[in-house]
Amino acid sequence: MKISNSWPDPKTTKPLTLATALTAKPKSIAGLAYVEPTSKDEIKDEDTDESYTYAIKSSSPEPPLSAPHMTVMLEMTGPSIISFPLSVCAILDNGCPSTVIDADLIAKLGLQRFPLAKHKDNLTSLTQSPLTCTEYVRLEATAKVNIGLPVPLILGIPFLSAESLVLDMEARTAIDKRTGYDIMNPSIHTTPISVSPTMPCKHVHTRAPRRNGHDKCTAPLHCEDHTSPSQIMALIRERVEHLSLEKLLAKKDTEAKQRYADCFPSELPKTTEDIPNHIYHRIRLKDPSKVVNSRGYSAPKRFHEPWKKLLEEHLAAGRLRPSVSEFASPSFCIPKHREGVPDLTVPPQWVNDYLLLNQNTV
């Protein structure tokens, strides 16, 4: 009403409806549901006798029903790894209260096992069936051993906490808080080299006094390096030649094994009865009076039984015989590899060290 106590002018006044009230309200916050009139004959307004229907809309995308695990490739080594590290795909799980490792992976790495206390064998799956662990091994963090684990390694809360790793499920990152490095998305950071074409490399040394009064020269702190394009091309050429040589040697190795396949049987004969004994070899020595008697090597305990079995097989076949000679050369065992990984399920490789004996050979 106006000051003159008269009614509002119907020509300039709009009727108040639910639609105009909703339009006047502030917009909803992103991520929250809001109500919007879409059609009639659903909800009836008592004052205006108008009907509306409402639809719930959300600005957030619908989450997926499942998402892949966060995995990271690790290079692991152990007592049984004597060449290149073993590549292992590990799961990063911030919901697992322990770090769990598969028993097969422990056998490949050759890690030592330790008995696990009974009260610490407390892992369960979503089906409430226990994940039995009776042993543990020592990695960067202690890991429980499980036989038949579906994955080689699960890095749980203890490992993530010890390494200061923060997992972001949306961004799919695992960042080290100390360095900011993302192990899920590794990148190579290169430091630019300061090129000085007229000045050679200079080392700046600092001297720190010792307790006895003498000066001690510490490591260089600064170096102005000069790298010419010819040096870079020389390094690239050297690398290409090295890779080409490796490929050529691998090809010749395969050809030699195929050509002399009869000299490389899959297993030695059971007996030496069919081997001709009329073939003799002459070995000329530099000093015939020199006696080579070297001290033997200590053998790991895991090779005792396989080595004893190899000795018994050679003795039974007649390839070896007992001897009281004063000559002696050391020997040892190394594990055989299958697809680049040590295989401890097969007998090891017997190696004789004839280095000193060969030095006295013409």
Side-chain angles (χ1 to χ4, degrees):
M1 299 179 65
K2 299 181 180 179
I3 300 177
S4 59
N5 199 19
S6 61
W7 294 100
D9 188 0
K11 296 180 180 180
T12 59
T13 303
K14 295 182 179 180
L16 179 61
T17 62
L18 181 58
T20 56
L22 293 175
T23 304
K25 285 186 176 180
K27 296 183 179 179
S28 59
I29 302 175
L32 299 178
Y34 66 94
V35 179
E36 179 183 357
T38 57
S39 63
K40 298 183 179 181
D41 301 331
E42 290 293 337
I43 299 178
K44 187 175 182 181
D45 193 324
E46 296 180 355
D47 298 331
T48 61
D49 292 334
E50 295 181 356
S51 300
Y52 301 91
T53 56
Y54 303 93
I56 304 297
K57 293 185 179 180
S58 176
S59 58
S60 300
E62 183 179 359
L65 296 178
S66 61
H69 287 289
M70 297 184 66
T71 59
V72 62
M73 294 301 300
L74 303 178
E75 301 292 333
M76 303 186 68
T77 184
S80 298
I81 306 298
I82 59 177
S83 56
F84 295 100
L86 185 64
S87 297
V88 177
C89 181
I91 292 181
L92 302 176
D93 189 354
N94 59 357
C96 183
S98 301
T99 298
V100 190
I101 186 172
D102 187 31
D104 294 339
L105 179 57
I106 296 177
K108 294 179 180 179
L109 297 175
L111 301 178
Q112 183 179 1
R113 302 189 184 191
F114 303 93
L116 183 66
K118 292 185 177 179
H119 69 277
K120 293 186 178 180
D121 182 16
N122 53 3
L123 295 179
T124 57
S125 63
L126 294 177
T127 59
Q128 297 301 321
S129 57
L131 300 177
T132 305
C133 300
T134 59
E135 297 173 318
Y136 73 94
V137 294
R138 293 172 180 172
L139 304 173
E140 293 295 335
T142 304
K144 296 182 180 179
V145 181
N146 180 259
I147 300 176
L149 194 67
V151 294
L153 181 63
I154 299 177
L155 301 177
I157 297 177
F159 180 86
L160 301 177
S161 176
E163 299 300 326
S164 302
L165 293 176
V166 179
L167 304 186
D168 190 335
M169 301 302 179
E170 180 184 5
R172 309 289 296 178
T173 59
I175 299 177
D176 188 345
K177 293 193 301 182
R178 300 166 296 184
T179 62
Y181 184 77
D182 183 9
I183 64 174
M184 291 281 296
N185 305 282
S187 59
I188 300 177
H189 299 278
T190 58
T191 302
I193 301 176
S194 58
V195 179
S196 178
T198 58
M199 299 181 62
C201 181
K202 296 182 180 180
H203 297 274
V204 180
H205 298 269
T206 58
R207 294 185 178 273
R210 290 184 177 180
R211 292 184 178 181
N212 56 8
H214 299 285
D215 291 343
K216 177 183 178 182
C217 183
T218 61
L221 299 180
H222 178 67
C223 177
E224 294 181 359
D225 194 7
H226 171 58
T227 304
S228 63
S230 59
Q231 293 175 336
I232 297 176
M233 295 304 298
L235 293 175
I236 295 176
R237 179 177 180 178
E238 181 181 356
R239 179 59 178 169
V240 171
E241 292 177 350
H242 177 72
L243 295 176
S244 177
L245 179 60
E246 285 187 349
K247 185 177 180 180
L248 178 61
L249 293 178
K251 181 181 178 181
K252 289 184 175 296
D253 178 70
T254 304
E255 293 176 353
K257 290 180 179 179
Q258 294 176 353
R259 182 178 180 182
Y260 303 101
D262 57 334
C263 299
F264 300 97
S266 57
E267 61 180 6
L268 295 175
K270 301 296 183 181
T271 179
T272 58
E273 295 179 356
D274 299 335
I275 297 178
N277 56 5
H278 63 279
I279 301 176
Y280 297 92
H281 298 275
R282 179 186 178 186
I283 300 176
R284 299 177 59 186
L285 302 177
K286 298 177 181 178
D287 184 5
S289 61
K290 182 179 180 180
V291 177
V292 177
N293 192 327
S294 303
R295 182 180 179 182
Y297 302 131
S298 60
K301 188 175 180 180
R302 63 176 180 273
F303 291 147
H304 288 185
E305 288 298 327
W307 202 354
K308 181 180 179 182
K309 185 178 179 180
L310 285 175
L311 284 172
E312 293 176 350
E313 291 177 354
H314 286 301
L315 289 172
R319 291 185 290 271
L320 295 179
R321 59 181 175 85
S323 175
V324 292
S325 174
E326 57 185 348
F327 287 82
S329 296
S331 58
F332 55 93
C333 286
I334 59 175
K336 293 182 179 179
H337 286 64
R338 180 179 296 177
E339 297 181 357
V341 179
D343 189 359
L344 301 181
T345 61
V346 298
Q349 184 73 35
W350 187 351
V351 182
N352 294 323
D353 186 2
Y354 290 134
L355 179 61
L356 296 180
L357 189 64
N358 293 335
Q359 290 177 354
N360 194 35
T361 303
V362 177

